Amino acid sequence: MINKVRVRFAPSPTGPLHIGGVRTALYNYLFAKKHNGTFILRIEDTDQKRYVEGAEAYIIEALNWLNIPFDEGPGLSEKQNLYGPYRQSERKDIYLKHINTLLERGHAYYAFDTAEQLDMHRKSHEEKGKTFIYNWHNRLKLENSLSLDADIVKKRIDNGDPYVIRFKSPESEQLELHDIIRGTMHIDTSVLDDKVLFKSDGMPTYHLANIVDDHLMEISHVIRGEEWLPSLALHVLLYKAFGWEVPQFAHLPLILKPTGKGKLSKRDGDKMGFPVFPITWNSNGESATGYREEGYFSEAVVNMLALLGWNEGKGSEKEIYSLPELIRAFSLENVSKSGAKFNPDKTKWFNHQYLQKIDNKELAKLLYLHISLMKTNPTTHQALSSKGLHLDDLMYMEKVVELIKERANFVKDFLSLGSFFFIAPDTYNEKTAAKVWKEDTTELMKNLMAVIEKITPFDAKHIETEIKKWIVAKELSFGKIMQPLRLSLVGAMEGPHVFDIISLLGKTESIERIKKACTRLGNS
Ligand code: GLU
C-alpha cells in the first residue's frame, strides 16, 4: 500500500521540452492520478548559464495542451503553493542553510582547486593511463578544507578566493540501491567522485538542490529518465548524510531512434520529418515544429507516449487508451527496462485512430477552422482564398469529411486528399490524360453531360443508376466513361466514388468541370 503519493516533474528550462521529457511528465502524472496523489512541476533553473528565456512558459503550455496539468508548481494560486516556491532560483536561502548543515556534519568540504589545476591533474593521470577522480583516494593531496589548516581555509574564504563545496563520499561502503523498474543494484562507494554541491556564486548544483527539494516537497517517488541512474548512488548518500528518508526511485528507459540505435534526438526528427517536440518552439531564430502544429490530437500523442516503454502486461494487446483508462491501467512495474524504439508511422496511426472516433460534425468544424487559418496566409493559399468553393459551408464540409475520413490521418488531410471538393482542377495529370482521353472521349462526355443534366433527384444513388444505364445502353465499357469523368472532376485518378463526388459537387459544378476538361483535353 502506498501512502500519500507526491511526484514531481523537474525539467531544467534550457530549451523546448523533448518528447522524452514529455513522457517523463506523463508517467509522473499517470502515477500520481492513479494513487490519488499530487503531480508537481518544479523548475530546476540553478544553472544560469544554460537558462533559456521562454522555456518555462513553453513547458507549462505543453503540459496544458496535453491535458496533464500540474497540481502544484509555479504560477498557481497560493493555496496550491504550500511547498513553494517551485523555481529553484527562488530557493537559494534554503540550499545555503542545507549546505551549511552538511559542512557542519563533516559530509562536505571546501575545495579551492582551480580549473587549470584540475586539468593538470587530469592530464598527468591520462599520461599514466589512469583516470583522475576527485575523491578519498587523493583529496588529502588537493587544495581543500580537508588538507589545509582551518585558519588558511578561513582566510581564503574571507579573501574571496573562488571555491566549490564538494560532497565527502565515503571511502568504502557497500551501497544497496533500489529502483522500481530495475530492481536492486549494488555499488561500492570507492568508485564515486566527490561531486560539487555548491559554488561560491551562492548557487547549488543540480544534485544538492534536487535532493533538498525532493525532501522538503515530500516527494514519495522520483520518476525520471535513465540518464540520472548514475547519480542515484550520490543522491542516496545525500539523503543518508542529511538523515532523511530515501524516496522510491523509478528510472525510465530511453526513447531510441527509429532504427533502434542510440537516443532519439532533434536531428532525427529533422532528418526523417517528424516532430520531437510537443508544441512548436521559436526562440532566437531557432525554431522546431511541434506535434500540435503538425495537426496531432493531444490525446493521440499522450496515448502514443504512454505506450513508449509501458504496456498493461498480462499479454494485453490493447493500444487505444483514453487518459482515464491510462490512469487506471498504469503501473511502474510494467515499465520496460530496455529502450523504447520511436516509430513515427505508428504515431500517425494513433492520430488516424483518434480522428476516426471524432464525430463528422466536429471534424467539419475543425476543418473549417483549419481553412480559416490558412486563408490568413495568402502567399501559400492564394488559390484557396480566391477560387475556393464552399469555404464557409459547414454542411458541405461534413460531407467531405464523411467521404475522406477513412483515409485521413489529420484534419489537414481533408484538404489535401479532397482539394477538388474546394477547388476545380486547373491541370490534369498528363500521363493519365494521354491514357484515358481518347479520340471519341470529348463527344461521349458531351452526351454524358446531357444525361447528367436530366438526373433528378440529384443524389449519388440516382446519379449512379442513370449513368450506368446510359453506359449499358450505349454498349460502352465502364472505364471508357468513368476514367475521363473522374479526371474531369478531380484532375487525377484519385478520390472517393465518382458518383459521391458528382452528388456533392452538384449538377452545375460537375457539368462545368466536364466542359472545361473537354475544352482543355479535347483535340477537336
Ligand atoms: N533537472 C533534471 C532534468 O532536467 C531533473 C532530473 C530529476 O528528475 O531528478 O532532467
Side-chain angles (χ1 to χ4, degrees):
M1 183 59 201
I2 298 170
N3 314 313
K4 202 166 145 213
V5 164
R6 289 178 55 81
V7 294
R8 84 309 191 267
F9 174 51
S12 302
T14 53
L17 194 57
H18 180 278
I19 50 164
V22 179
R23 189 197 56 179
T24 301
L26 174 64
Y27 283 14
N28 272 283
Y29 174 88
L30 295 176
F31 185 74
K33 297 301 140 183
K34 164 136 193 165
H35 298 286
N36 290 319
T38 306
F39 172 50
I40 298 156
L41 174 67
R42 184 172 72 223
I43 301 293
E44 300 210 323
D45 57 351
T46 52
D47 189 350
Q48 294 295 320
K49 281 195 286 300
R50 295 184 60 218
Y51 180 82
V52 172
E53 195 69 41
E56 179 187 315
Y58 175 96
I59 291 164
I60 294 175
E61 196 181 335
L63 297 182
N64 286 335
W65 176 65
L66 291 159
N67 201 20
I68 53 169
F70 46 94
D71 307 305
E72 289 177 27
L76 296 184
S77 73
E78 249 171 56
K79 214 172 79 223
Q80 292 155 294
N81 259 349
L82 294 175
Y83 294 80
Y86 295 91
R87 277 184 209 102
Q88 290 189 328
S89 57
E90 293 165 20
R91 299 171 64 84
K92 282 193 222 166
D93 296 350
I94 299 174
Y95 308 127
L96 185 62
K97 194 179 119 207
H98 283 89
I99 194 65
N100 284 332
T101 306
L102 288 184
L103 284 166
E104 279 158 24
R105 293 187 189 169
H107 289 302
Y109 60 93
Y110 293 97
F112 301 97
D113 319 78
T114 61
E116 291 77 39
Q117 283 171 322
L118 291 175
D119 235 24
M120 223 179 59
H121 293 307
R122 246 171 248 132
K123 278 200 192 114
S124 76
H125 272 70
E126 257 166 44
E127 276 159 20
K128 288 181 235 149
K130 292 184 186 162
T131 313
F132 172 72
I133 306 178
Y134 203 123
N135 67 2
W136 59 274
H137 184 69
N138 52 20
R139 62 194 167 209
L140 289 178
K141 287 182 246 154
L142 296 158
E143 281 200 44
N144 54 51
S145 57
L146 301 175
S147 63
L148 301 168
D149 285 341
D151 51 330
I152 296 180
V153 171
K154 188 175 177 313
K155 226 184 264 161
R156 289 187 73 163
I157 294 170
D158 293 345
N159 230 0
D161 279 12
Y163 64 80
V164 294
I165 299 174
R166 287 180 182 271
F167 182 62
K168 191 175 166 210
S169 230
E171 186 174 325
S172 172
E173 208 180 283
Q174 296 305 311
L175 262 192
E176 191 172 279
L177 306 172
H178 300 281
D179 183 280
I180 298 172
I181 299 166
R182 279 145 223 279
T184 302
M185 294 159 277
H186 293 95
I187 187 162
D188 186 336
T189 60
S190 65
V191 300
L192 300 176
D193 60 344
D194 290 354
K195 278 269 183 304
V196 174
L197 299 178
F198 207 84
K199 287 171 281 171
S200 46
D201 64 1
M203 275 297 209
T205 59
Y206 154 75
H207 300 294
L208 179 74
N210 188 271
I211 263 51
V212 167
D213 287 348
D214 281 350
H215 173 72
L216 295 180
M217 294 181 182
E218 295 183 23
I219 299 302
S220 60
H221 296 75
V222 172
I223 304 168
R224 61 184 175 190
E226 185 182 280
E227 63 273 28
W228 300 106
L229 197 57
S231 302
L232 181 58
L234 168 67
H235 292 182
V236 169
L237 287 170
L238 277 167
Y239 281 104
K240 289 192 171 167
F242 280 115
W244 293 336
E245 197 188 325
V246 183
Q248 295 204 51
F249 287 94
H251 288 87
L252 308 176
L254 292 176
I255 297 183
L256 305 175
K257 295 178 193 295
T259 55
K261 288 190 192 109
K263 201 172 146 180
L264 179 71
S265 73
K266 177 179 177 302
R267 259 177 293 131
D268 299 316
D270 294 342
K271 254 197 298 194
M272 297 175 63
F274 61 84
V276 294
F277 299 113
I279 59 179
T280 289
W281 167 257
N282 274 315
S283 169
N284 285 336
E286 186 205 338
S287 100
T289 166
Y291 279 92
R292 180 178 66 184
E293 290 70 15
E294 284 294 306
Y296 284 85
F297 300 114
S298 61
E299 295 87 343
V301 176
V302 162
N303 196 155
M304 174 275 286
L305 283 177
L307 290 174
L308 213 54
W310 168 85
N311 70 69
E312 204 175 340
K314 299 173 275 175
S316 164
E317 286 185 4
K318 185 171 158 73
E319 289 190 287
I320 301 296
Y321 287 86
S322 67
L323 195 52
E325 282 176 327
L326 283 174
I327 293 169
R328 241 175 286 131
F330 186 76
S331 79
L332 287 171
E333 284 74 15
N334 281 335
V335 173
S336 88
K337 281 196 220 19
S338 45
K341 223 195 285 181
F342 184 76
N343 181 345
D345 292 333
K346 189 77 190 194
T347 309
K348 282 191 188 147
W349 176 86
F350 274 109
N351 216 60
H352 177 84
Q353 300 301 319
Y354 276 83
L355 189 132
Q356 305 310 307
K357 290 204 287 184
I358 301 175
D359 167 75
N360 291 354
K361 255 201 181 61
E362 191 53 39
L363 283 174
K365 280 191 209 148
L366 293 176
L367 174 60
Y368 176 84
L369 199 74
H370 178 71
I371 292 177
S372 312
L373 290 175
M374 287 179 99
K375 281 197 281 188
T376 59
N377 190 348
T379 46
T380 46
H381 292 285
Q382 228 155 29
L384 189 68
S385 41
S386 61
K387 291 188 241 158
L389 307 163
H390 302 284
L391 295 180
D392 293 317
D393 186 346
L394 274 172
M395 296 263 281
Y396 184 86
M397 288 185 193
E398 200 181 320
K399 290 188 190 132
V400 172
V401 163
E402 193 187 314
L403 294 177
I404 308 268
K405 193 173 183 179
E406 241 174 62
R407 288 189 300 132
N409 293 333
F410 302 99
V411 168
K412 63 185 175 194
D413 290 352
F414 291 119
L415 209 55
S416 52
L417 295 172
S419 60
F420 51 89
F421 282 121
F422 301 100
I423 307 173
D426 220 19
T427 54
Y428 303 89
N429 182 297
E430 263 178 52
K431 260 203 198 131
T432 313
K435 210 164 88 198
V436 307
W437 207 280
K438 305 264 162 52
E439 195 98 327
D440 54 350
T441 302
T442 306
E443 195 52 37
L444 288 169
M445 288 294 120
K446 280 183 183 158
N447 294 343
L448 177 64
M449 280 190 272
V451 173
I452 292 176
E453 187 71 63
K454 280 198 230 104
I455 300 175
T456 123
F458 203 71
D459 57 43
K461 205 164 157 270
H462 277 89
I463 299 168
E464 178 170 3
T465 316
E466 293 304 318
I467 294 183
K468 281 188 174 167
K469 219 164 49 185
W470 173 74
I471 295 176
V472 172
K474 280 256 187 188
E475 292 179 6
L476 296 166
S477 75
F478 278 92
K480 193 157 176 64
I481 298 301
M482 300 310 285
Q483 289 182 340
L485 177 56
R486 181 181 288 279
L487 187 67
S488 312
L489 302 168
V490 174
M493 288 293 121
E494 287 163 12
H497 289 308
V498 169
F499 307 113
D500 287 326
I501 300 176
I502 301 180
S503 139
L504 188 52
L505 286 175
K507 202 179 270 185
T508 319
E509 177 66 18
S510 301
I511 288 179
E512 226 169 81
R513 288 192 187 185
I514 303 170
K515 235 186 244 165
K516 183 168 158 189
C518 288
T519 321
R520 297 272 187 93
L521 301 172
N523 22 19
S524 53

